[in-house]
Amino acid sequence: MKVVVLTGAGISAESGLSTFRDADGLWEGHDPMQVATPEAYADDPALVQRFYDERRAALSRVQPNAAHHALVRLEEALGEDLLVVTQNVDDLHERAGSQRVHHIHGRLQSAWCTACDERHAWDGPLAPGPSCPGCGTASLRPDIVWFGEIPYGMDLVEEALWECDLFVSIGTSGVVYPAAAFVHWARGDTLELNLEPSAGASDFARSRQGPATRLVPDWVGEVLGD
Ligand code: BJW
């Protein structure tokens, strides 16, 4: 059985990483959604770099949770028939042990040089304006897909969705495209694991004129069979 799992910020919430649209919202008085844009970066690069530097540093203080580990066990069972597509820019899937993870919105631990177009593994801060290890210019930005930019590897994702027997969406609000449309593109059955029905699931249910997703509020226990 071919399975595509889409994950969003909700899967990392139990590890202690904030989601984007849930309650506590503001970062230094800014809406994270306003900071995570090319316009914000053009206006105030230092502010945006600091936002991502803090989130990169926070990774060392958190651990994968039971949901990340459950997906590793699913991969052990399904092998190459499982693809995890994540909107998250953290590395918790990889640290849990998942091998087949595709980050459509980039990764915190990668820096992109806008001068030479090379990408470099990056663990430290970018706000001080370090030189690119490739070309030596101070042109490194977070390797993150902001609004209006094209998500990574969409061909691979589209193909996997066309071929899948089951599409599982975990912990995403379903308001950001193209990920919000994956439930429509998926050929197979669909399952949503979330604390509440997402916008994507509601749209999908309407388009199929009936309940098309099953919600599992206590989803970690369900997945683990506790
Ligand atoms: C739990 C839980 C627990 C909590 N257990 N669950 C008008 C109409 C349609 C589209 C557009 C439009 N205007 C513009 C667009 C396009 C735009 C877009 O979608 N805008 C919308 C706002 C309308 N999209 C883009 O620009 C994208 N690019 C694009 O479309 O290019 C064109 C193209 C596409 C395809 C092929 C070719 C060309 C780029 C989008 C980039 C998004 N970037 C961000 C920030 C960068 C990453 C970062 O800083 O981390 O990515 S935005 C932000 O939202 C982040 C996230 O990955 C993304 C999704 O958020 P997510 O993960 O869903 O988090 P939340 O907080 O929203 O939800 C958390 C969920 O967890 C909730 O449901 C909770 O209930 C749940 N939860 N605890 C389970 N314990």
Side-chain angles (χ1 to χ4, degrees):
M1 177 163 79
K2 289 183 182 294
V3 179
V4 175
V5 175
L6 170 69
T7 63
I11 197 169
S12 297
E14 300 284 334
S15 294
L17 296 178
S18 299
T19 63
F20 288 88
R21 295 170 187 83
D22 289 341
D24 52 359
L26 294 184
W27 170 79
E28 293 190 2
H30 304 277
D31 177 349
M33 300 312 299
Q34 302 298 322
V35 180
T37 68
E39 292 76 19
Y41 186 62
D43 283 355
D44 192 345
L47 175 96
V48 175
Q49 294 283 24
R50 217 169 57 245
F51 174 63
Y52 284 98
D53 283 355
E54 285 183 19
R55 291 175 59 200
R56 194 177 302 109
L59 292 182
S60 63
R61 301 191 290 271
V62 298
Q63 298 298 329
N65 65 52
H68 299 101
H69 291 297
L71 289 178
V72 177
R73 293 214 296 282
L74 193 58
E75 185 175 280
E76 283 162 3
L78 294 177
E80 295 197 348
D81 285 341
L82 175 69
L83 177 66
V84 174
V85 178
T86 187
Q87 300 169 87
N88 298 344
V89 295
D90 64 54
D91 63 342
L92 293 179
H93 285 302
E94 286 87 351
R95 276 203 270 151
S98 285
Q99 309 270 334
R100 289 172 50 77
V101 182
H102 179 66
H103 288 260
I104 58 170
H105 291 166
R107 293 182 303 117
L108 281 169
Q109 290 158 315
S110 174
W112 171 29
C113 178
T114 53
C116 72
D117 200 27
E118 292 291 316
R119 287 171 166 82
H120 301 278
W122 207 267
D123 278 330
L126 288 172
S131 301
C132 167
C135 71
T137 62
S139 307
L140 294 170
R141 60 161 266 189
D143 188 8
I144 300 287
V145 177
W146 291 324
F147 284 114
E149 298 182 328
I150 298 179
Y152 293 144
M154 288 307 299
D155 289 352
L156 176 150
V157 175
E158 280 177 34
E159 192 179 321
L161 288 167
W162 272 110
E163 289 177 353
C164 77
D165 302 296
L166 176 65
F167 170 73
V168 185
S169 166
I170 304 178
T172 175
S173 56
V175 298
V176 174
Y177 288 84
F182 290 175
V183 68
H184 298 277
W185 301 349
R187 193 199 58 174
D189 293 333
T190 65
L191 171 67
E192 170 163 60
L193 307 177
N194 200 319
L195 300 178
E196 56 191 28
S198 69
S202 306
D203 289 350
F204 185 68
R206 273 195 296 278
S207 76
R208 299 271 171 115
Q209 296 181 329
T213 59
R214 180 174 148 241
L215 279 169
V216 185
D218 190 12
W219 59 274
V220 172
E222 293 264 347
V223 170
L224 295 176
D226 287 342

